[in-house]
Amino acid sequence: MTAPGRRSSTFTRLLRHGFTDASAAERLLDSPELAPVRNDPVLLEALGATADPDLALRGLVRLLEAQPAPPARRELLDTLIAAKPLRDRLLGVLGASAALGDHLARHCGDWQALVTYEPRDLHPGVEEFERGLAQATDPVSLRVAYRRCLLSIAARDVCGTTDVAQTAAELADLATATLRAALRLAGAAAPDDAAQCRLAVVAMGKCGGHELNYVSDVDVIFVGEPADSADEGKALRAATRLASHMMRICSETTVEGSIWPVDANLRPEGRNGPLVRTLSSHVAYYQRWAKTWEFQALLKARPVAGDPALGEEYVAALNPMVWQAAERENFVGDVQKMRRRVVENIPVAEVERELKLGPGGLRDVEFAVQLLQLVHGRADASLRSGTTLDALKSLAEGGYVGRADATQLDEAYRFLRSMEHRIQLHRLRRTHLVPESEADLRRLGRSLGLRTDPVAELTREWKRHTSVVRRLHEKLFYRPLLDAVAQLAPGEARLSPEAARERLVALGYADPAAALRHLEALASGVTRKAAIQRTLLPVLLGWFADSADPDAGLLNFRKVSDALGKTPWYLRLLRDEGAAAENLARVLSAGRLAPDLLMRAPEAVALLGEGDGGGLEPRDRAQLEQEILAAVGRAESAEQAVTAARGVRRRELFRTAAADIVGSYGTEAQPAEADQGPLVDRVGGAVSDLTAATLAGTLRAVVREGWGETLPTRFAVIGMGRFGGHELGYGSDADVLFVHEPWEDADEREAAEAANRVVAEMRRLLQIPSADPPLLIDAGLRPEGKSGPLVRTMKSYEAYYRRWSLVWESQALLRAEPVAGDEDLGRRFVELIDPLRYPRAGLGEDGVREIRRLKARMEGERLPRGADPKLHTKLGPGGLSDVEWTVQLLQMRHGAAEAGLRTPRTREALTAARQAGLIGAEDASVLDEAWVLATRVRNAVMLVRGRAGDTFPSEPRELAAVGRYLGYGPGQVGAMLDAYRRTARRARGVVEELFYGA
């Protein structure tokens, strides 16, 4: 008897053998059913070797209790103790699967299926499973027979007799035998239907690929033909009834549960298409309508049941089309986009636990392998396997995948599939989520042989393997392109030039020969630079391929690397800061403007990697002015000073463009910004601040060189148009007015001459041809336009505006804001014009009519000949002009009464009008959306083409690049244009009502 407060030796032994509830285990061992063997050390050792000793013991007691009589119980116990194979198999299953324990408790004689241990039992195939299901006469008995066969598969799996690939193949073979048995039952129930048709069942997905899970939908496609001389319509209806009945036999829930759902949704037209089609109908669909993913799915097509000849005819007819799929436009983009869509649809709370669909999961391996198969399987029939691991092995042997990469992926895939199998085996439920409870994780870890600290070891191994997959799944496609041109170890297989060309074409490279030359130049050699670039290029190639112009991205990267390749910080930046390399790839392949700015001073690449994107944050105006004025102060001449200021401007334009591109494209760590309004505001504000700071520095340089520290007149620059509204784009001129006011004791003529010389010199210096982009100053909005003087005094402005000002000039002044020069003079200029732009009594009806007349005339006269008005972002219906004139009319009519309207910024004024009740919330939203989109299009055109434009480009690659910037994937140019027209059309409707009063 055990002393009070002390544990029995049995209790201690149970804990040592892995039991978590030793007290309950003691009670079970003391039960009458286990009385003959309770002290047998063999039993305790065997239980301790299972994934969950507590579960195994409970299952064993339940099985013994279910035996019909004491002799049957003694037979089970005797066999269990005497026969190690049965002991390992039975207890292994009971410790891993509560669901199979339930089955054994209900069908207590099925343990006999685990007794035989002949060589032919080690790796059964379809024939053996068909024999095991042969006695089934209805859905219930089919389920019992199915579970009995599943018992033997699970036993071999948990005992390590078969590896994960063999287990998956056996599960697929059992599914094949089950589909045949179900079709046999369906045919027996409707012999007339069976006589009228030939029906073939073609397995797809994991069943077709011979890599099924324990619990999975079994994907199928049905092909039907008339038998002999039967009518085709009647035959197809008969085949459809047979196919439907077969699906129900497998899927419906009975007293013995269900087997698995049979899913026919991979058929042509999915759920909307007929369940059964003739072979010719299948062929016609795939020739005309099938999408890329449907050909990818056909990789695993395999006839499994019904008419074998018809099934083989189906595969033979469609197989050639599968291997032409890589020739389709946007093939790689389509496949990768589908993969991204799968990840995006996973609930956020489950992403990190998703074994199958999450990043670094099973689907990443499968997609990468299938992509490579489709690209290279056209020319190499050895790659045409439906089984992922077999295909991966063939890809490595052919040099299409690096051997080390293939080995790591093989190991990761096997581990993740093993996890998936053991998770599903426990309850025989379809799930791909890693459990969260400690007990479930412990059982899962132990089932995989992790016994020291099962939970910690499992988590560590799982994360390690998903990390490997995440790292390799993109690289898998690109790394061999480098190996094709770089020096490899002797005997290492490599891509042939033709295979490398095929892969580059599939990725969207228009000139694969040039791309290979760039890769050779970048990756060959034994220098540190070449070694780092060999590491980077597989990932960079993927990012380039994600753009509309991968050729330009690769060429630009070569140029940057040629310029900076010997600079230690450059290689260190790209190697150590993942964000910098990705940002660089996005910038280099997004168009001409950003790469052109970078090539003029490649050291600006450093901006791409200053921790968490901080290097791309726009600098405020005060910081910019401080830097530019400091550079001006150090310069020996005005020309040197303005050259320095233009250099800062070029660098900051690059910073702004790079941030815009990265924000629009998104990165692996940070998705593209969903709300495009802040992107537009950021670009407009940054470029406007930069232009103001550049003008301030240029003004200081010109004044210092010509007059020392002080001009004989106060001088101010007033921003107008988009400049005054903080809405400049990359290609915008700087619209300005110049105002001066002679000092009290200065000669007015001398002051005027000085002011005009300042303006002329500023314009000259900012346009001198150089490596930096010019800054064009446009004073066309001044009084009297081009006929009037460039510079006026305050008194002259006051006299002109009092006597001669027209309505359009008051409208233009809505966006006036001082940007450089004498702050007090700028402030007084604003005070002068406020009564003009915000009339105290509001804008009269005559003024309203005049503005409407001017707008209508502008629409008719200024639109370029041949331009599509519906796609003209500035002057077209619903474009920038429509929105801005509508907002400005509200400002002139109500600005005196509503302080919020007194702003030069369009979006701010629109918000203020909505808050004041002058425009409805929906109408304001429509106008805002149209204005933001039109501005984004103009910015995109400048980024892509390197020159300003108000319409969408006509060249296909440039148009696709604009689409990519706006968030549209490959092949979605039509959708982009439709969306623009739709947005502009809605905005024009609001303009007609609010501006024209229609």
Side-chain angles (χ1 to χ4, degrees):
M1 180 176 173
T2 306
R6 295 187 60 189
R7 297 293 190 188
S8 70
S9 58
T10 304
F11 185 97
T12 307
R13 275 205 334 272
L14 289 170
L15 289 177
R16 195 166 58 244
H17 280 92
F19 287 85
T20 56
D21 189 348
S23 298
E26 264 192 308
R27 288 194 297 274
L28 289 172
L29 286 170
D30 286 338
S31 64
E33 289 78 17
L34 285 175
V37 295
R38 70 163 58 100
N39 295 316
D40 196 313
V42 168
L43 177 62
L44 206 54
E45 289 288 339
L47 287 167
T50 65
D52 186 341
D54 300 87
L55 180 64
L57 180 56
R58 287 197 302 273
L60 178 60
V61 171
R62 290 179 65 206
L63 176 59
L64 288 166
E65 289 173 343
Q67 296 304 308
R73 194 175 302 140
R74 275 197 304 275
E75 181 189 3
L76 171 56
L77 284 174
D78 290 347
T79 312
L80 186 71
I81 297 302
K84 186 178 188 309
L86 171 69
R87 188 165 61 247
D88 292 344
R89 286 177 164 198
L90 178 58
L91 295 182
V93 168
L94 290 173
S97 177
L100 288 177
D102 291 343
H103 171 85
L104 284 169
R106 287 196 309 275
H107 304 279
C108 59
D110 279 3
W111 68 271
Q112 300 278 0
L114 303 179
V115 173
T116 54
Y117 201 72
E118 301 298 325
R120 62 187 173 82
D121 296 315
L122 295 182
H123 301 293
V126 177
E127 284 185 29
E128 286 77 16
F129 290 127
E130 281 193 284
R131 282 199 295 271
L133 303 177
Q135 302 305 311
T137 56
D138 56 44
V140 173
S141 58
L142 180 61
R143 281 150 177 70
V144 175
Y146 175 85
R147 292 280 194 282
R148 191 180 303 121
C149 293
L150 196 63
L151 263 175
S152 64
I153 294 176
R156 286 187 292 276
D157 179 15
V158 298
C159 292
T161 308
T162 54
D163 65 16
V164 66
Q166 292 168 326
T167 300
E170 288 184 14
L171 288 166
D173 284 342
L174 176 56
T176 298
T178 305
L179 289 171
R180 291 178 184 179
L183 187 57
R184 169 173 56 79
L185 293 177
D192 291 344
D193 284 347
Q196 284 190 70
C197 65
R198 298 169 62 204
L199 176 64
V201 184
V202 179
M204 306 286 284
K206 282 190 160 40
C207 184
H210 236 79
E211 50 189 15
L212 198 61
N213 301 329
Y214 275 101
V215 187
S216 175
D217 289 359
V218 171
D219 296 310
V220 299
I221 283 178
F222 296 106
V223 191
E225 294 287 347
D228 301 326
S229 58
D231 174 75
E232 183 176 294
K234 289 182 179 178
L236 283 178
R237 286 192 290 275
T240 300
R241 288 191 292 271
L242 283 174
S244 299
H245 191 190
M246 186 203 85
M247 293 172 71
R248 290 196 303 274
I249 288 171
C250 296
S251 306
E252 285 183 348
T253 302
T254 70
V255 292
E256 286 292 337
S258 68
I259 301 177
W260 19 246
V262 177
D263 189 342
N265 288 334
L266 291 177
R267 67 185 183 271
E269 299 178 79
R271 294 178 184 173
N272 298 320
L275 184 63
V276 183
R277 287 177 184 257
T278 62
L279 179 56
S280 61
S281 175
H282 276 285
V283 171
Y285 173 84
Y286 283 101
Q287 286 175 336
R288 294 189 61 189
W289 307 111
K291 297 181 175 63
T292 298
W293 70 263
E294 293 178 279
F295 291 108
Q296 186 180 354
L298 285 172
L299 267 173
K300 296 183 179 294
R302 179 172 65 93
V304 292
D307 190 307
L310 181 57
E312 292 297 342
E313 286 176 49
Y314 171 89
V315 171
L318 296 183
N319 214 32
M321 295 185 220
V322 173
W323 305 111
Q324 293 164 6
E327 298 168 12
R328 296 163 66 91
E329 188 178 1
N330 300 319
F331 162 72
V332 171
D334 284 349
V335 174
Q336 292 175 332
K337 182 171 65 179
M338 184 166 66
R339 173 70 192 113
R340 283 194 293 271
R341 193 181 303 129
V342 167
V343 175
E344 288 164 3
N345 289 334
I346 303 171
V348 175
E350 295 180 359
V351 169
E352 294 302 318
R353 296 168 50 219
E354 247 294 351
L355 266 181
K356 178 181 178 181
L357 304 178
L362 294 162
R363 189 58 61 88
D364 274 349
V365 181
E366 292 159 1
F367 263 63
V369 169
Q370 289 164 22
L371 195 57
L372 289 167
Q373 284 182 278
L374 289 168
V375 170
H376 298 296
R378 289 177 291 173
D380 189 343
S382 71
L383 305 181
R384 299 179 183 181
S385 169
T387 307
T388 301
L389 291 177
D390 290 348
L392 182 58
K393 181 181 178 185
S394 298
L395 286 164
E397 288 173 350
Y400 304 100
V401 173
R403 289 185 187 277
D405 291 346
T407 299
Q408 284 187 290
L409 272 179
D410 182 279
E411 291 173 357
Y413 190 75
R414 288 174 183 274
F415 183 83
L416 295 174
R417 282 303 301 272
S418 296
M419 281 184 70
E420 182 185 43
H421 277 187
R422 301 302 164 79
I423 291 168
Q424 293 183 349
L425 181 59
H426 181 227
R427 295 285 182 192
L428 286 183
R429 289 179 185 162
R430 183 174 180 265
T431 180
H432 311 287
L433 291 178
V434 177
E436 294 179 289
S437 79
E438 182 90 5
D440 286 337
L441 289 170
R442 181 176 183 274
R443 183 190 59 257
L444 180 57
R446 283 175 59 90
S447 76
L448 296 171
L450 308 173
R451 298 299 172 96
T452 306
D453 185 352
V455 176
E457 291 177 71
L458 172 69
T459 304
R460 186 168 57 249
E461 285 298 292
W462 168 36
K463 296 300 181 185
R464 180 175 72 82
H465 284 299
T466 54
S467 174
V468 165
V469 174
R470 291 176 81 154
R471 181 169 51 84
L472 290 181
H473 116 266
E474 289 282 354
K475 172 183 156 185
L476 196 69
F477 199 75
Y478 308 110
R479 170 54 66 86
L481 287 167
L482 269 70
D483 293 343
V485 296
Q487 298 297 316
L488 298 183
E492 183 78 12
R494 71 170 74 198
L495 282 183
S496 67
E498 181 59 26
R501 191 196 70 80
E502 283 180 349
R503 194 173 295 192
L504 285 164
V505 169
L507 283 167
Y509 285 81
D511 189 350
L516 282 171
R517 287 196 300 274
H518 297 324
L519 288 175
E520 186 169 10
L522 288 161
S524 294
V526 294
T527 63
R528 179 171 172 270
K529 170 188 169 185
I532 291 175
Q533 289 180 161
R534 278 196 294 273
T535 302
L536 286 170
L537 274 164
V539 184
L540 289 171
L541 283 169
W543 288 325
F544 294 147
D546 192 36
S547 74
D549 195 352
D551 299 81
L554 183 55
L555 172 61
N556 289 331
F557 179 68
R558 182 178 176 184
K559 288 179 179 177
V560 172
S561 286
D562 286 347
L564 294 176
K566 294 181 181 178
T567 311
W569 64 261
Y570 167 70
L571 293 172
R572 194 163 55 244
L573 175 78
L574 296 185
R575 183 194 64 201
D576 297 340
E577 294 198 37
E582 185 175 5
N583 291 345
L584 180 62
R586 300 297 183 203
V587 167
L588 293 180
S589 57
R592 295 181 184 172
L593 178 65
D596 285 351
L597 292 169
L598 182 60
M599 296 309 168
R600 290 167 180 170
E603 65 275 5
V605 77
L607 298 175
L608 299 172
E610 292 180 19
D612 298 326
L616 296 181
E617 283 297 312
R619 302 170 73 201
D620 63 36
R621 182 166 162 185
Q623 291 174 306
L624 294 168
E625 274 199 26
Q626 183 180 15
E627 180 181 3
I628 288 175
L629 292 176
V632 167
R634 291 191 297 269
E636 296 180 359
S637 67
E639 193 162 319
Q640 279 186 5
V642 175
T643 298
R646 288 174 66 182
V648 173
R649 177 172 177 264
R650 182 235 319 119
R651 184 197 69 211
E652 294 304 318
L653 277 175
F654 173 74
R655 187 198 303 268
T656 303
D660 189 15
I661 291 165
V662 170
S664 298
Y665 271 60
T667 64
E668 290 185 357
Q670 186 71 40
E673 294 190 33
D675 184 358
Q676 299 191 346
L679 279 172
V680 165
D681 292 342
R682 205 151 54 233
V683 171
V687 178
S688 300
D689 285 347
L690 180 56
T691 301
T694 305
L695 289 178
T698 304
L699 176 60
R700 172 77 62 87
V702 170
V703 170
R704 191 186 64 178
E705 181 159 282
W707 294 271
E709 292 303 316
T710 309
L711 268 175
T713 183
R714 297 182 180 91
F715 186 90
V717 185
I718 310 298
M720 299 288 286
R722 295 191 170 281
F723 184 18
H726 297 255
E727 296 161 359
L728 282 180
Y730 299 111
S732 302
D733 296 346
D735 290 320
V736 298
L737 298 177
F738 296 107
V739 57
H740 79 102
E741 185 178 67
W743 295 102
E744 288 73 9
D745 56 349
D747 179 79
E748 288 194 7
R749 194 177 71 174
E750 181 186 340
E753 286 178 358
N756 277 285
R757 279 175 55 198
V758 166
V759 172
E761 187 65 0
M762 286 179 68
R763 298 179 81 175
R764 183 187 75 83
L765 290 171
L766 288 168
Q767 295 179 52
I768 292 175
S770 76
D772 300 313
L775 174 56
L776 302 178
I777 295 176
D778 187 344
L781 292 174
R782 65 187 184 270
E784 302 179 75
K786 293 180 181 177
S787 304
L790 269 175
V791 193
R792 287 178 183 263
T793 63
M794 274 288 286
K795 289 180 180 178
S796 175
Y797 274 109
E798 185 177 3
Y800 177 86
Y801 286 138
R802 186 175 63 249
R803 296 185 60 191
W804 309 109
S805 178
L806 301 174
V807 172
W808 73 264
E809 291 177 297
S810 297
Q811 181 185 355
L813 289 170
L814 285 166
R815 309 182 83 176
E817 182 172 279
V819 293
D822 190 291
E823 291 183 8
D824 179 65
L825 183 61
R827 179 184 54 76
R828 286 190 287 119
F829 182 84
V830 169
E831 290 173 355
L832 167 69
I833 63 174
D834 270 353
L836 287 169
R837 53 186 183 174
Y838 309 122
R840 184 170 299 170
L843 188 65
E845 286 304 313
D846 289 346
V848 172
R849 277 195 298 274
E850 177 64 11
I851 286 181
R852 287 172 176 165
R853 186 186 65 77
L854 285 170
K855 175 76 168 70
R857 193 181 78 185
M858 184 178 72
E859 288 176 10
E861 294 177 0
R862 293 180 60 188
L863 198 69
R865 183 179 299 173
D868 181 352
K870 293 179 180 177
L871 293 175
H872 199 280
T873 60
K874 183 175 181 181
L875 301 174
L880 294 170
S881 175
D882 266 3
V883 177
E884 289 165 2
W885 281 58
T886 301
V887 172
Q888 289 160 13
L889 183 58
L890 290 171
Q891 288 180 283
M892 295 184 74
R893 296 180 81 170
H894 305 284
E898 295 291 343
L901 290 172
R902 298 197 286 271
T903 172
R905 305 177 188 226
T906 302
R907 297 187 74 211
E908 275 189 14
L910 185 56
T911 300
R914 176 180 57 77
Q915 290 171 344
L918 302 173
I919 179 174
E922 186 176 346
D923 286 348
S925 176
V926 167
L927 293 181
D928 185 69
E929 182 185 3
W931 189 89
V932 166
L933 178 57
T935 304
R936 289 269 292 159
V937 172
R938 294 180 94 207
N939 286 345
V941 170
M942 185 65 188
L943 285 169
V944 169
R945 303 177 68 192
R947 61 182 188 274
D950 293 317
T951 60
F952 287 88
S954 55
E955 199 278 320
R957 280 217 165 196
E958 292 179 344
L959 188 59
V962 169
R964 187 67 187 83
Y965 171 86
L966 294 176
Y968 292 89
Q972 293 186 311
V973 163
M976 170 183 69
L977 298 177
D978 287 346
Y980 180 84
R981 291 189 188 98
R982 185 167 56 250
T983 302
R985 186 168 60 246
R986 292 173 62 211
R988 181 64 179 193
V990 175
V991 171
E992 294 280 359
E993 181 181 345
L994 292 179
F995 184 81
Y996 289 110

